[in-house]
Amino acid sequence: MNKISLTGVKPTGTPHIGNYFGAIKPAIEMSNNPELDSFYFIADYHALNFIKKKEELVQFTKEIACTWLACGLDPNKIVFYKQSQVPEVTELNWLLCNVTSKGLMNRAHAYKALVEKSLEAGDDPDALVNMGLYNYPILMAADILLFNTKFVPVGADQKQHVEMARDIAKAFNKRYGNTFVIPTEIIQESVATITGIDGRKMSKSYGNQIPLFCTEQELKKLISGIKTDSSLPTEPKSTDCAVFSLYKLFANKEELEAMAERFAKGISWADAKAELYSVANKYLTPMREKYNYYMTHYDEVEKMLDAGATKARAIAKETLARARAVIGLD
Ligand code: ADP
Ligand code: TRP
């Protein structure tokens, strides 16, 4: 039997270039490995912590589904579904809660960051924390363990969550005997952190993102707004900057070498940005066309998700039955 590779993306915003290079692209590349069976899903339960408006949840879910298809995900080759279509996830979540120590959850970066924020504001440490956020890593462990996942391709910021899934699997296996496969995160180091237009990590929390499928005009405008230093056009420029690091993602080898040379000799930021726009737009255009097709033919996408959920549930039921049996629930 092939090893399982699984990943999820939260529908919490319009997908951006950081999501693509950090998570979607490596995951799709992995799905082409014939030695792996891949599961990709939309983590809509995980999104509930961030998205409180129904219209937004529906819209972002649609955008994520169409993005993955536009980026080359083949729903005939991999299992593609919405997390909320697989209720077994929530049942396993509960079973896992009972082998997970509170101390483990206390160490989660996302939780700790909120606690710190409240403390700094002089508020109760848990003022900003609801149980969905607190239990977030357990739900993620359920996503992973339910499908006997071996590999979890994710961005570097998700490493701790996969480590926690591993700890939870081990705790369960220790108490009840070998039930779950122990998962490992796969982090593509070379594209681990994509830079945003202000030079920090691209993230919707910083508002510095470039949406993957914005229009050509928007793309041009966002690129022209990338923060640069005040060096003169003729001055040599360091390649350690947002413009170059984004250029690197879209360019081929020759383009990259030529650009590195121009940076060394001196290039105006306007020219560097124009070149970045040109390679980025060339790269993104065919995918953008597919994306626009799926967004306007969403019924086709929904059928694909339904078929994926049926396949996913067949496996989920088997794993859940195994877990229930070793616990003594059947
Ligand atoms: P955001 O930071 O914009 O809120 P998410 O947390 O929704 O993004 O991330 C979704 C996926 O995309 C995760 O697997 C995450 O690791 C990856 N990702 C997000 N931003 C980046 C980035 N700047 N570089 C690399 N990967 C990223
Ligand atoms: N927590 C992940 C994120 O923030 C999304 C996610 C949910 C996930 N369940 C998962 C990723 C299981 C990998 C495997 O992006």
Side-chain angles (χ1 to χ4, degrees):
M1 211 182 86
N2 274 346
K3 294 215 164 87
I4 306 292
S5 161
L6 171 142
T7 198
V9 176
K10 283 183 315 234
T12 49
T14 299
H16 58 67
I17 285 171
N19 301 142
Y20 175 70
F21 286 104
I24 302 172
K25 182 168 178 264
I28 288 177
E29 277 165 8
M30 269 187 86
S31 78
N32 292 324
N33 180 339
E35 284 166 20
L36 294 175
D37 286 342
S38 297
F39 288 63
Y40 294 151
F41 68 95
I42 301 168
D44 48 359
Y45 281 149
H46 276 106
L48 299 182
N49 221 276
F50 308 86
I51 302 296
K52 279 139 199 164
K53 286 200 188 109
K54 176 185 169 181
E55 298 72 30
E56 285 187 355
L57 186 67
V58 171
Q59 175 66 16
F60 292 147
T61 299
K62 189 174 164 186
E63 288 181 9
I64 296 278
C66 296
T67 296
W68 283 56
L69 293 167
C71 293
L73 178 144
D74 179 352
N76 296 315
K77 275 209 314 223
I78 68 134
V79 183
F80 180 47
Y81 59 97
K82 276 200 302 191
Q83 184 185 31
S84 63
Q85 290 179 300
V86 182
E88 289 75 14
V89 169
T90 51
E91 186 171 348
L92 183 59
N93 174 67
W94 179 251
L95 303 183
L96 298 179
C97 279
N98 292 283
V99 295
T100 305
S101 70
K102 179 168 176 285
L104 185 67
M105 295 302 98
N106 288 344
R107 289 197 287 278
H109 300 319
Y111 168 68
K112 279 169 65 177
L114 285 182
V115 168
E116 220 154 277
K117 200 169 156 187
S118 295
L119 288 175
E120 273 168 23
D123 293 336
D124 181 276
D126 284 330
L128 298 171
V129 181
N130 69 34
M131 292 311 291
L133 183 279
Y134 194 68
N135 285 337
Y136 188 106
I138 310 179
L139 181 62
M140 183 154 157
D143 292 329
I144 295 170
L145 303 184
L146 196 55
F147 297 100
N148 310 308
T149 306
K150 185 67 200 156
F151 302 117
V152 187
V154 281
D157 63 331
Q158 294 297 308
K159 186 174 173 6
Q160 189 196 35
H161 286 149
V162 185
E163 285 166 358
M164 287 179 162
R166 192 153 61 230
D167 288 346
I168 294 170
K170 284 182 186 165
F172 189 102
N173 287 354
K174 188 158 175 249
R175 187 182 299 175
Y176 296 112
N178 236 346
T179 309
F180 294 120
V181 173
I182 307 297
T184 312
E185 66 277 16
I186 303 287
I187 294 166
Q188 235 196 24
E189 293 298 347
S190 62
V191 291
T193 303
I194 310 304
T195 314
I197 58 171
D198 61 357
R200 292 188 292 172
K201 179 196 165 188
M202 187 178 291
S203 169
K204 55 185 168 293
S205 1
Y206 297 143
N208 64 353
Q209 71 274 40
I210 301 178
L212 188 55
F213 298 127
C214 60
T215 62
E216 293 187 334
Q217 293 87 321
E218 280 170 295
L219 183 63
K220 197 174 266 175
K221 195 163 159 234
L222 285 166
I223 289 175
S224 70
I226 294 175
K227 217 170 158 180
T228 51
D229 64 23
S230 55
S231 59
L232 295 170
T234 47
E235 278 181 79
K237 292 185 168 43
S238 162
T239 52
D240 184 15
C241 67
V243 174
F244 195 84
S245 54
L246 287 168
Y247 189 85
K248 219 157 65 180
L249 299 168
F250 296 107
N252 61 34
K253 200 166 159 280
E254 291 76 46
E255 287 166 335
L256 192 59
E257 281 169 8
M259 189 54 118
E261 218 169 282
R262 289 180 71 186
F263 263 64
K265 278 198 197 135
I267 179 172
S268 75
W269 284 120
D271 286 350
K273 287 175 178 177
E275 294 293 345
L276 170 58
Y277 169 73
S278 160
V279 285
N281 195 44
K282 190 170 76 186
Y283 187 107
L284 296 172
T285 296
M287 297 197 303
R288 188 192 297 120
E289 282 165 5
K290 269 172 95 176
Y291 175 77
N292 290 337
Y293 172 86
Y294 285 122
M295 286 296 281
T296 49
H297 297 78
Y298 195 61
D299 52 325
E300 291 180 26
V301 178
E302 280 180 318
K303 281 200 192 100
M304 293 179 206
L305 288 169
D306 289 347
T310 305
K311 280 190 241 168
R313 287 195 74 184
I315 299 158
K317 280 185 186 144
E318 254 177 52
T319 314
L320 190 61
R322 203 165 67 229
R324 287 175 59 101
V326 295
I327 291 174
L329 290 167
D330 287 321

